[in-house]
Amino acid sequence: MPAGALFAAPEWPRLRLFRGWRRRGYVRVGGRRRLPRGLGSALTLALFAGIGLYGAFAGGHVDRFRAENGTLSDAVARAFGFGIRQVVISGLAELRPAEILAAGGISPNSSVLFIDPAAVRQNLEAVPMIREASVRKLYPNELAITITEREPFALWQRNGEVFVVAADGTVIDFLNDARYTRLPLVVGDRANVHSADYLELLDAAGPLRERIRAGSLIAGRRWNLIFDNGLEVRLPEANPTAAVARLAELEESDRILERDILVIDMRQSDRVVMRLGVEAAAARAEAAKKKPTSAREADI
Protein backbone atom coordinates (compact mmCIF):
# COMPACT_ATOMS: atom_id res chain seq x y z
CA MET A 1 0.00 0.00 0.00
CA PRO A 2 1.49 3.40 -0.97
CA ALA A 3 2.51 5.66 1.87
CA GLY A 4 -0.16 8.09 2.82
CA ALA A 5 -3.00 5.98 1.50
CA LEU A 6 -6.19 5.79 3.60
CA PHE A 7 -7.06 2.44 5.16
CA ALA A 8 -10.59 1.46 4.39
CA ALA A 9 -11.99 -0.90 7.00
CA PRO A 10 -14.14 -3.65 5.60
CA GLU A 11 -17.84 -3.55 6.35
CA TRP A 12 -18.46 -5.75 9.44
CA PRO A 13 -20.90 -8.62 9.05
CA ARG A 14 -22.75 -7.31 12.10
CA LEU A 15 -23.58 -4.15 10.25
CA ARG A 16 -24.73 -6.08 7.21
CA LEU A 17 -27.00 -8.18 9.39
CA PHE A 18 -28.40 -5.06 10.98
CA ARG A 19 -29.09 -3.59 7.59
CA GLY A 20 -30.72 -6.78 6.45
CA TRP A 21 -32.87 -6.90 9.59
CA ARG A 22 -33.81 -3.30 9.06
CA ARG A 23 -34.97 -4.07 5.56
CA ARG A 24 -36.99 -7.10 6.68
CA GLY A 25 -38.42 -5.79 10.01
CA TYR A 26 -39.54 -2.34 9.02
CA VAL A 27 -42.18 -0.99 6.67
CA ARG A 28 -42.02 2.18 4.71
CA VAL A 29 -44.26 5.04 5.77
CA GLY A 30 -44.70 8.11 3.65
CA GLY A 31 -41.94 6.99 1.35
CA ARG A 32 -39.18 7.99 3.76
CA ARG A 33 -39.28 6.48 7.29
CA ARG A 34 -39.42 2.86 8.27
CA LEU A 35 -41.39 1.64 11.34
CA PRO A 36 -41.15 -1.84 12.88
CA ARG A 37 -43.81 -4.28 11.93
CA GLY A 38 -46.26 -5.08 14.76
CA LEU A 39 -45.75 -1.67 16.38
CA GLY A 40 -49.43 -0.85 16.09
CA SER A 41 -50.44 -4.02 17.89
CA ALA A 42 -47.91 -3.36 20.64
CA LEU A 43 -49.17 0.19 21.11
CA THR A 44 -52.74 -1.06 21.24
CA LEU A 45 -51.88 -3.60 23.92
CA ALA A 46 -49.98 -0.96 25.88
CA LEU A 47 -52.98 1.35 25.68
CA PHE A 48 -55.34 -1.29 27.04
CA ALA A 49 -52.85 -2.20 29.78
CA GLY A 50 -52.58 1.45 30.81
CA ILE A 51 -56.36 1.77 30.89
CA GLY A 52 -56.56 -1.37 33.03
CA LEU A 53 -53.96 -0.08 35.49
CA TYR A 54 -55.68 3.29 35.70
CA GLY A 55 -58.99 1.59 36.40
CA ALA A 56 -57.41 -0.53 39.12
CA PHE A 57 -55.95 2.50 40.85
CA ALA A 58 -59.04 4.68 40.35
CA GLY A 59 -61.35 1.94 41.61
CA GLY A 60 -59.28 1.30 44.71
CA HIS A 61 -58.53 -2.29 43.72
CA VAL A 62 -54.80 -1.86 44.28
CA ASP A 63 -55.32 -0.41 47.75
CA ARG A 64 -57.73 -3.19 48.58
CA PHE A 65 -55.25 -5.80 47.39
CA ARG A 66 -52.46 -4.28 49.50
CA ALA A 67 -54.69 -4.10 52.57
CA GLU A 68 -55.65 -7.76 52.23
CA ASN A 69 -52.43 -9.26 50.91
CA GLY A 70 -49.61 -6.74 51.40
CA THR A 71 -47.43 -5.64 48.53
CA LEU A 72 -47.36 -7.66 45.33
CA SER A 73 -43.74 -8.65 45.97
CA ASP A 74 -44.61 -9.95 49.45
CA ALA A 75 -47.59 -11.86 48.10
CA VAL A 76 -45.42 -13.56 45.47
CA ALA A 77 -42.71 -14.32 48.08
CA ARG A 78 -45.29 -15.91 50.38
CA ALA A 79 -46.56 -18.02 47.51
CA PHE A 80 -43.04 -19.42 47.13
CA GLY A 81 -42.73 -20.26 50.84
CA PHE A 82 -41.02 -17.09 52.13
CA GLY A 83 -43.88 -15.89 54.32
CA ILE A 84 -43.12 -15.20 57.99
CA ARG A 85 -44.27 -18.31 59.84
CA GLN A 86 -42.46 -17.69 63.15
CA VAL A 87 -40.98 -14.72 65.02
CA VAL A 88 -38.68 -15.56 67.93
CA ILE A 89 -38.44 -12.62 70.37
CA SER A 90 -35.98 -12.59 73.26
CA GLY A 91 -35.33 -10.02 75.97
CA LEU A 92 -38.95 -9.26 76.87
CA ALA A 93 -39.63 -8.09 80.40
CA GLU A 94 -42.43 -5.52 80.46
CA LEU A 95 -43.37 -5.42 76.77
CA ARG A 96 -45.60 -7.99 75.07
CA PRO A 97 -44.89 -9.85 71.81
CA ALA A 98 -47.86 -8.20 70.11
CA GLU A 99 -46.42 -4.78 70.97
CA ILE A 100 -43.09 -5.75 69.39
CA LEU A 101 -44.73 -6.95 66.17
CA ALA A 102 -46.86 -3.82 65.90
CA ALA A 103 -43.95 -1.48 66.60
CA GLY A 104 -41.72 -3.28 64.10
CA GLY A 105 -44.34 -3.17 61.37
CA ILE A 106 -44.45 -6.97 61.07
CA SER A 107 -47.75 -8.45 59.89
CA PRO A 108 -48.98 -11.77 58.44
CA ASN A 109 -48.67 -10.14 55.00
CA SER A 110 -44.91 -9.57 55.41
CA SER A 111 -42.33 -11.86 53.89
CA VAL A 112 -38.84 -12.80 54.99
CA LEU A 113 -37.58 -12.15 51.48
CA PHE A 114 -38.51 -8.47 51.33
CA ILE A 115 -38.63 -7.33 54.96
CA ASP A 116 -35.88 -4.83 55.86
CA PRO A 117 -34.20 -5.75 59.18
CA ALA A 118 -32.63 -2.28 59.50
CA ALA A 119 -36.03 -0.61 59.15
CA VAL A 120 -37.60 -2.98 61.69
CA ARG A 121 -34.76 -2.28 64.14
CA GLN A 122 -35.16 1.48 63.66
CA ASN A 123 -38.90 1.22 64.30
CA LEU A 124 -38.33 -0.79 67.47
CA GLU A 125 -35.69 1.54 68.87
CA ALA A 126 -38.08 4.45 68.37
CA VAL A 127 -40.18 2.93 71.18
CA PRO A 128 -39.11 4.71 74.41
CA MET A 129 -39.25 1.45 76.34
CA ILE A 130 -36.70 -0.21 74.03
CA ARG A 131 -33.07 0.80 74.45
CA GLU A 132 -31.61 -1.50 71.78
CA ALA A 133 -32.86 -4.04 69.23
CA SER A 134 -31.44 -6.45 66.67
CA VAL A 135 -33.29 -8.22 63.86
CA ARG A 136 -32.13 -11.24 61.83
CA LYS A 137 -33.69 -13.13 58.94
CA LEU A 138 -33.70 -16.92 59.21
CA TYR A 139 -34.62 -18.29 55.81
CA PRO A 140 -37.00 -19.41 54.59
CA ASN A 141 -39.73 -18.18 56.95
CA GLU A 142 -38.47 -17.02 60.37
CA LEU A 143 -37.36 -13.79 62.08
CA ALA A 144 -35.25 -13.52 65.23
CA ILE A 145 -35.61 -10.33 67.29
CA THR A 146 -33.58 -9.51 70.38
CA ILE A 147 -34.38 -6.43 72.42
CA THR A 148 -32.99 -4.72 75.50
CA GLU A 149 -35.64 -2.87 77.46
CA ARG A 150 -35.16 0.21 79.57
CA GLU A 151 -36.06 -0.88 83.07
CA PRO A 152 -38.94 1.12 84.61
CA PHE A 153 -37.71 2.38 87.97
CA ALA A 154 -40.23 4.90 89.26
CA LEU A 155 -43.19 7.08 88.41
CA TRP A 156 -42.67 10.82 88.23
CA GLN A 157 -45.52 13.26 88.64
CA ARG A 158 -44.96 16.76 87.33
CA ASN A 159 -47.49 19.45 86.38
CA GLY A 160 -50.35 16.99 86.67
CA GLU A 161 -48.77 14.41 84.35
CA VAL A 162 -47.25 11.08 85.36
CA PHE A 163 -44.28 9.56 83.54
CA VAL A 164 -42.46 6.24 83.77
CA VAL A 165 -38.74 6.90 84.34
CA ALA A 166 -35.58 4.79 84.35
CA ALA A 167 -33.09 4.60 87.22
CA ASP A 168 -31.08 7.51 85.83
CA GLY A 169 -34.20 9.65 85.56
CA THR A 170 -34.67 9.20 81.81
CA VAL A 171 -38.33 9.53 80.88
CA ILE A 172 -39.46 6.33 79.21
CA ASP A 173 -43.07 7.18 78.48
CA PHE A 174 -46.31 8.55 79.84
CA LEU A 175 -48.05 6.38 82.39
CA ASN A 176 -50.71 4.76 80.23
CA ASP A 177 -50.53 1.18 81.45
CA ALA A 178 -51.68 -0.29 84.77
CA ARG A 179 -48.59 -2.54 84.81
CA TYR A 180 -46.48 0.36 86.11
CA THR A 181 -48.72 1.61 88.90
CA ARG A 182 -46.79 -0.62 91.32
CA LEU A 183 -43.68 1.56 90.91
CA PRO A 184 -42.68 4.13 93.57
CA LEU A 185 -44.09 7.61 92.93
CA VAL A 186 -42.01 10.78 93.17
CA VAL A 187 -43.40 14.29 92.82
CA GLY A 188 -41.84 17.62 91.96
CA ASP A 189 -39.23 19.26 89.74
CA ARG A 190 -36.18 17.05 89.17
CA ALA A 191 -37.61 14.38 91.43
CA ASN A 192 -37.04 11.92 88.58
CA VAL A 193 -33.24 12.27 88.78
CA HIS A 194 -33.36 11.82 92.58
CA SER A 195 -35.67 8.80 92.56
CA ALA A 196 -32.84 6.51 93.72
CA ASP A 197 -32.51 8.63 96.88
CA TYR A 198 -36.21 8.19 97.51
CA LEU A 199 -35.89 4.41 97.24
CA GLU A 200 -33.24 4.52 99.98
CA LEU A 201 -35.80 6.23 102.23
CA LEU A 202 -38.31 3.49 101.47
CA ASP A 203 -35.76 0.86 102.43
CA ALA A 204 -35.12 2.65 105.74
CA ALA A 205 -38.86 2.77 106.49
CA GLY A 206 -39.04 -0.96 107.15
CA PRO A 207 -42.64 -2.06 107.81
CA LEU A 208 -43.88 1.48 107.07
CA ARG A 209 -42.87 1.15 103.43
CA GLU A 210 -46.16 -0.39 102.39
CA ARG A 211 -48.03 2.64 103.69
CA ILE A 212 -45.94 5.29 101.94
CA ARG A 213 -47.66 6.39 98.76
CA ALA A 214 -45.32 9.06 97.41
CA GLY A 215 -42.26 11.16 98.00
CA SER A 216 -42.38 14.88 97.24
CA LEU A 217 -39.06 16.59 96.56
CA ILE A 218 -39.02 20.10 98.07
CA ALA A 219 -36.82 22.70 96.38
CA GLY A 220 -34.63 19.91 95.03
CA ARG A 221 -33.09 19.37 98.48
CA ARG A 222 -35.28 17.35 100.84
CA TRP A 223 -38.27 15.00 100.88
CA ASN A 224 -41.76 14.92 102.29
CA LEU A 225 -43.34 11.49 102.62
CA ILE A 226 -47.05 11.08 101.89
CA PHE A 227 -48.80 8.16 103.61
CA ASP A 228 -51.94 6.31 102.60
CA ASN A 229 -54.02 8.10 105.26
CA GLY A 230 -52.95 11.54 104.03
CA LEU A 231 -50.30 12.06 106.72
CA GLU A 232 -47.37 14.21 105.58
CA VAL A 233 -43.96 13.61 107.16
CA ARG A 234 -41.41 16.37 106.57
CA LEU A 235 -37.88 15.01 106.54
CA PRO A 236 -34.66 16.97 107.12
CA GLU A 237 -32.21 17.70 104.31
CA ALA A 238 -29.34 16.13 106.25
CA ASN A 239 -29.49 12.40 107.04
CA PRO A 240 -33.15 11.80 106.12
CA THR A 241 -32.78 8.01 106.40
CA ALA A 242 -32.12 8.34 110.14
CA ALA A 243 -35.31 10.39 110.48
CA VAL A 244 -37.29 7.72 108.67
CA ALA A 245 -35.87 5.03 110.95
CA ARG A 246 -36.90 7.13 113.94
CA LEU A 247 -40.38 7.47 112.48
CA ALA A 248 -40.63 3.69 112.24
CA GLU A 249 -39.69 3.43 115.91
CA LEU A 250 -42.40 5.94 116.89
CA GLU A 251 -44.97 3.95 114.95
CA GLU A 252 -43.96 0.76 116.68
CA SER A 253 -44.10 2.30 120.17
CA ASP A 254 -46.93 4.86 119.90
CA ARG A 255 -48.91 3.92 116.78
CA ILE A 256 -48.77 7.49 115.54
CA LEU A 257 -50.16 6.63 112.13
CA GLU A 258 -53.43 5.61 113.77
CA ARG A 259 -53.88 9.01 115.41
CA ASP A 260 -55.58 12.08 113.99
CA ILE A 261 -52.37 13.77 112.83
CA LEU A 262 -51.99 15.81 109.66
CA VAL A 263 -48.29 16.65 109.67
CA ILE A 264 -45.20 15.27 111.42
CA ASP A 265 -42.26 17.64 111.13
CA MET A 266 -38.92 15.92 111.72
CA ARG A 267 -36.68 18.63 110.30
CA GLN A 268 -35.25 19.43 113.73
CA SER A 269 -32.92 16.79 115.08
CA ASP A 270 -33.87 17.29 118.75
CA ARG A 271 -37.67 17.26 118.49
CA VAL A 272 -40.67 16.02 116.56
CA VAL A 273 -43.46 18.52 115.92
CA MET A 274 -46.95 17.25 115.11
CA ARG A 275 -49.95 19.10 113.75
CA LEU A 276 -53.22 17.52 114.81
CA GLY A 277 -56.27 17.04 112.70
CA VAL A 278 -59.44 19.07 113.25
CA GLU A 279 -61.11 16.59 115.59
CA ALA A 280 -57.95 15.88 117.56
CA ALA A 281 -57.23 19.59 117.84
CA ALA A 282 -60.80 20.27 119.10
CA ALA A 283 -60.57 17.44 121.63
CA ARG A 284 -57.23 18.75 122.85
CA ALA A 285 -58.62 22.26 123.20
CA GLU A 286 -61.60 20.94 125.15
CA ALA A 287 -59.32 18.97 127.46
CA ALA A 288 -57.22 22.07 128.05
CA LYS A 289 -60.33 23.99 129.18
CA LYS A 290 -61.14 21.34 131.78
CA LYS A 291 -57.60 21.19 133.14
CA PRO A 292 -57.14 22.92 136.57
CA THR A 293 -55.42 26.33 136.20
CA SER A 294 -54.45 26.82 139.88
CA ALA A 295 -53.66 24.91 143.05
CA ARG A 296 -56.98 25.93 144.60
CA GLU A 297 -58.95 24.53 141.66
CA ALA A 298 -56.95 21.35 141.98
CA ASP A 299 -58.05 21.00 145.62
CA ILE A 300 -61.72 21.42 144.87
Side-chain angles (χ1 to χ4, degrees):
M1 181 178 294
L6 295 175
F7 176 77
E11 184 177 8
W12 299 101
R14 177 172 57 87
L15 298 179
R16 288 198 299 270
L17 288 174
F18 174 76
R19 289 176 180 175
W21 170 76
R22 185 180 64 179
R23 285 195 298 269
R24 291 193 300 269
Y26 281 68
V27 296
R28 186 179 298 276
V29 178
R32 291 185 299 174
R33 293 191 176 183
R34 297 173 185 270
L35 298 175
R37 290 177 179 175
L39 178 62
S41 299
L43 291 175
T44 302
L45 291 175
L47 176 62
F48 280 110
I51 293 174
L53 289 174
Y54 174 79
F57 277 99
H61 300 295
V62 174
D63 293 337
R64 189 179 307 115
F65 177 86
R66 287 178 177 173
E68 295 176 356
N69 303 283
T71 63
L72 179 60
S73 57
D74 281 330
V76 173
R78 293 198 310 274
F80 281 90
F82 291 99
I84 298 178
R85 300 289 182 86
Q86 184 174 359
V87 181
V88 179
I89 305 174
S90 59
L92 290 181
E94 299 291 344
L95 293 172
R96 302 184 181 98
E99 294 171 325
I100 299 298
L101 297 178
I106 303 169
S107 74
N109 291 332
S110 303
S111 70
V112 173
L113 198 60
F114 292 105
I115 200 165
D116 184 356
V120 175
R121 177 181 58 80
Q122 185 175 7
N123 291 338
L124 291 174
E125 291 182 349
V127 178
M129 190 71 180
I130 299 176
R131 188 178 67 189
E132 187 177 1
S134 66
V135 182
R136 291 185 300 128
K137 295 181 179 182
L138 301 176
Y139 288 99
N141 49 29
E142 187 174 331
L143 284 181
I145 299 176
T146 302
I147 66 169
T148 302
E149 295 184 7
R150 290 188 174 94
E151 183 179 357
F153 187 74
L155 302 179
W156 175 38
Q157 180 177 325
R158 182 173 180 268
N159 297 331
E161 295 179 320
V162 181
F163 307 90
V164 181
V165 298
D168 61 355
T170 300
V171 174
I172 295 176
D173 203 353
F174 286 100
L175 176 63
N176 51 19
D177 196 313
R179 285 176 291 176
Y180 306 129
T181 56
R182 57 179 172 76
L183 296 175
L185 175 63
V186 294
V187 183
D189 290 338
R190 295 186 58 79
N192 57 317
V193 298
H194 294 282
S195 55
D197 298 335
Y198 173 63
L199 261 67
E200 290 183 6
L201 299 178
L202 294 181
D203 292 338
L208 293 182
R209 176 176 182 144
E210 297 300 322
R211 300 198 58 179
I212 299 175
R213 290 294 172 261
S216 178
L217 187 64
I218 308 301
R221 298 195 307 269
R222 65 171 194 83
W223 293 93
N224 287 351
L225 301 181
I226 311 300
F227 283 77
D228 55 2
N229 60 355
L231 171 66
E232 178 183 290
V233 178
R234 298 173 181 175
L235 300 178
E237 181 178 352
N239 201 8
T241 54
V244 173
R246 185 182 179 190
L247 179 68
E249 293 174 357
L250 288 174
E251 169 61 18
E252 184 177 0
S253 60
D254 299 326
R255 298 295 177 187
I256 58 174
L257 294 185
E258 308 303 326
R259 301 185 181 186
D260 187 13
I261 300 174
L262 297 179
V263 178
I264 299 178
D265 193 339
M266 307 186 71
R267 288 177 292 177
Q268 301 181 51
S269 59
D270 59 341
R271 69 188 68 180
V272 176
V273 179
M274 300 183 186
R275 189 171 77 192
L276 301 178
V278 176
E279 294 183 1
R284 186 180 180 87
E286 187 65 25
K289 291 179 181 178
K290 297 179 179 179
K291 187 177 179 179
T293 57
S294 65
R296 182 178 178 185
E297 291 179 354
D299 294 336
I300 294 178

